[in-house]
């Protein structure tokens, strides 16, 4: 949750702050691993796990997708994400995690502003999309080798404007809040990412797609007067709650450690 987000995953005294779900189990059943988009759904995952009597580990950090042995650069500047993820993987092994939920702003890592590349990748010159695909496949392969069940949370629609800010301005001017992007526009924006996720589904990976509840013909930004986004791309607690049925379906597939 908020106190755990951006934890370096190394200092053991902070581990207790990063346990989500029920506090009545000494063992950890699952982990939520990803960037700020994973952090945005942590409350929903926590609630689902608590209801199901499961305990999990939150491993979320800004601009750090859950990709092993992968360099993450922002405006060509190398970040510490590779080290954070190595520490995360060590925790997964140490606590014998049986299920992992991977979540991220995936489309942001197939462009030029943020890039990912497997360390010592000999094919790194064939484009950012291919580099992302290899990094994700590499990570999933290593998780599966440990017998970990993998769930991927697909892309959350980027509204394109700061929802609370625009709402406040619209109310002040007594204007109607503009619509979010159309479903077609969202799918176009994710044209590099969704085929990768569909391919993983064909390989037996479970993928949930938030846009299936957040978009109809138009991607919604509020529901029953409550905002679903805290900026242009991160869900509020209310928005993340809409994913609870999807998350519940995945968490109940793997039995809790007895």
């Amino acid at each position: 949750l908020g106190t755990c987000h951006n934890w370096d995953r190394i200092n053991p005294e902070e581990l207790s702050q990063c346990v989500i779900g029920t506090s009545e189990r000494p063992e950890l059943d699952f982990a939520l691993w990803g960037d700020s988009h994973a952090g945005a759904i942590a409350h929903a995952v926590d609630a689902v796990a608590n209801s199901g009597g499961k305990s999990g580990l939150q491993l979320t950090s800004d601009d750090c997708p859950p990709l092993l042995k992968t360099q993450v650069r922002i405006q060509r500047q190398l970040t510490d994400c590779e080290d954070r993820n190595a520490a995360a993987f060590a925790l997964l092994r140490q606590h014998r995690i049986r299920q992992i939920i991977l979540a991220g702003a995936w489309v942001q890592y197939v462009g030029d502003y943020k890039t990912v590349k497997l360390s010592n990748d000999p094919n790194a010159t064939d484009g950012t999309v291919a580099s992302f695909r290899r990094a994700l496949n590499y990570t999933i392969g290593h998780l599966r080798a440990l017998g970990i069940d993998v769930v991927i949370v697909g892309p959350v629609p980027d509204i394109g404007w700061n929802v609370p800010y625009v709402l406040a301005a619209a109310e002040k001017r007594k204007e109607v809040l503009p619509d979010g992007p159309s479903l077609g526009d969202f799918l176009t924006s994710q044209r590099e990412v969704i085929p990768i996720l569909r391919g993983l589904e064909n390989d037996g990976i479970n993928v949930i797609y938030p846009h299936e509840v957040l978009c109809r013909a138009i991607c919604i930004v509020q529901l029953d007067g409550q905002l679903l986004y805290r900026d242009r791309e991160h869900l509020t607690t209310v928005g993340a709650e809409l994913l609870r049925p999807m998350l519940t379906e995945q968490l109940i597939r793997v039995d809790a450690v007895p």
Side-chain angles (χ1 to χ4, degrees):
L1 304 179
T3 56
C4 177
H5 188 63
N6 287 324
W7 173 44
D8 65 9
R9 308 163 189 178
I10 296 174
N11 296 317
E13 64 271 16
E14 297 183 38
L15 179 66
S16 62
Q17 299 178 22
C18 297
V19 174
I20 55 178
T22 182
S23 59
E24 298 177 359
R25 290 179 52 75
E27 301 88 1
L28 295 170
D29 303 298
F30 72 95
L32 170 65
W33 185 14
D35 63 13
S36 59
H37 279 223
I41 66 171
H43 279 282
V45 175
D46 174 59
V48 168
N50 196 44
S51 297
K54 288 191 172 186
S55 180
L57 190 60
Q58 180 183 343
L59 302 167
T60 62
S61 185
D62 292 341
D63 299 316
C64 188
L67 302 171
L68 291 172
K69 297 282 188 181
T70 298
Q71 298 176 356
V72 178
R73 295 178 184 272
I74 301 177
Q75 289 186 309
R76 300 184 180 180
Q77 296 297 311
L78 186 65
T79 71
D80 66 348
C81 185
E82 184 174 2
D83 291 338
R84 286 177 180 264
N85 284 335
F89 190 63
L91 288 170
L92 300 181
R93 299 185 67 173
Q94 176 186 344
H95 294 282
R96 299 181 180 181
I97 297 296
R98 302 179 65 219
Q99 187 177 44
I100 190 86
I101 301 171
L102 305 178
W106 308 119
V107 74
Q108 294 183 13
Y109 306 105
V110 298
D112 296 324
Y113 181 72
K114 300 177 186 178
T115 60
V116 297
K117 179 181 79 69
L118 278 170
S119 300
N120 302 318
D121 185 351
N123 300 311
T125 59
D126 61 353
T128 57
V129 176
S131 289
F132 169 73
R133 181 188 295 109
R134 282 194 297 274
L136 186 56
N137 286 337
Y138 178 90
T139 302
I140 290 171
H142 277 68
L143 294 171
R144 282 178 137 183
L146 294 179
I148 299 176
D149 179 81
V150 179
V151 179
I152 299 177
V153 180
V156 169
D158 184 329
I159 300 305
W161 37 269
N162 187 301
V163 175
Y165 178 83
V166 173
L167 174 63
E171 288 181 342
K172 184 176 181 179
R173 298 168 185 161
K174 297 183 179 181
E175 298 174 348
V176 177
L177 187 68
D179 287 332
S182 69
L183 176 59
D185 287 342
F186 163 74
L187 293 174
T188 297
S189 74
Q190 301 292 329
R191 61 188 178 277
E192 307 286 7
V193 171
I194 289 181
I196 294 174
L197 300 182
R198 295 295 188 194
L200 291 170
E201 283 186 283
N202 293 335
D203 194 34
I205 298 298
N206 290 278
V207 182
I208 64 176
Y209 293 96
H211 75 273
E212 292 179 354
V213 295
L214 294 170
C215 301
R216 295 150 189 165
I218 298 293
C219 297
I220 57 176
V221 299
Q222 60 180 338
L223 185 65
D224 298 329
Q226 294 185 297
L227 295 184
L228 304 183
Y229 288 82
R230 57 181 170 87
D231 48 28
R232 61 179 286 170
E233 59 180 295
H234 296 94
L235 294 174
T236 60
T237 301
V238 173
E241 281 290 305
L242 296 178
L243 308 186
R244 280 190 66 168
M246 294 176 165
L247 294 167
T248 299
E249 182 180 358
Q250 295 303 322
L251 281 175
I252 64 175
R253 285 191 304 101
V254 178
D255 292 335
V257 178

